[in-house]
Amino acid sequence: MALMITDECINCDVCLPECPNEAISQGDEIYIIDPNKCTECVGHFDTPQCVEVCPVDCIPFNPDYPETKEQLQEKFLRLTANK
């Protein structure tokens, strides 16, 4: 399941450099996560790095994008295939 950033985001900028897939970007008002790039850090780390550093705990799972660990691993492989 991809992650999402809620409107509790305080735009502190700490999540942006932590994302190994560059899935996080500045939205109109808060940071956003591209679900097509988010692997919950599967393939890179044991835990989602943005969640680890978020000071306000505003990065839950996105229920609109249910994915298994296997699907996240496949997405990781697709995203890193050309790197």
Side-chain angles (χ1 to χ4, degrees):
M1 185 173 293
L3 299 170
M4 61 187 271
I5 297 176
T6 68
D7 60 4
E8 295 170 347
C9 175
I10 58 172
N11 290 308
C12 67
D13 302 323
V14 298
C15 63
L16 183 65
E18 296 301 319
C19 183
N21 295 323
E22 299 178 353
I24 300 173
S25 62
Q26 180 64 51
D28 291 337
E29 296 182 23
I30 60 173
Y31 281 93
I32 57 172
I33 297 178
D34 180 345
N36 296 313
K37 292 183 178 180
C38 179
T39 63
E40 296 176 37
C41 290
V42 168
H44 295 284
F45 301 101
D46 292 335
T47 59
Q49 298 302 286
C50 59
V51 174
E52 293 289 325
V53 299
C54 181
V56 292
D57 195 28
C58 68
I59 308 176
F61 294 110
N62 187 334
D64 294 335
Y65 296 92
E67 295 170 294
T68 65
K69 291 291 183 189
E70 291 79 19
Q71 290 170 314
L72 292 169
Q73 180 67 31
E74 289 173 17
K75 187 191 305 184
F76 161 75
L77 294 173
R78 283 193 312 274
L79 290 171
T80 58
N82 296 326
K83 290 186 178 181

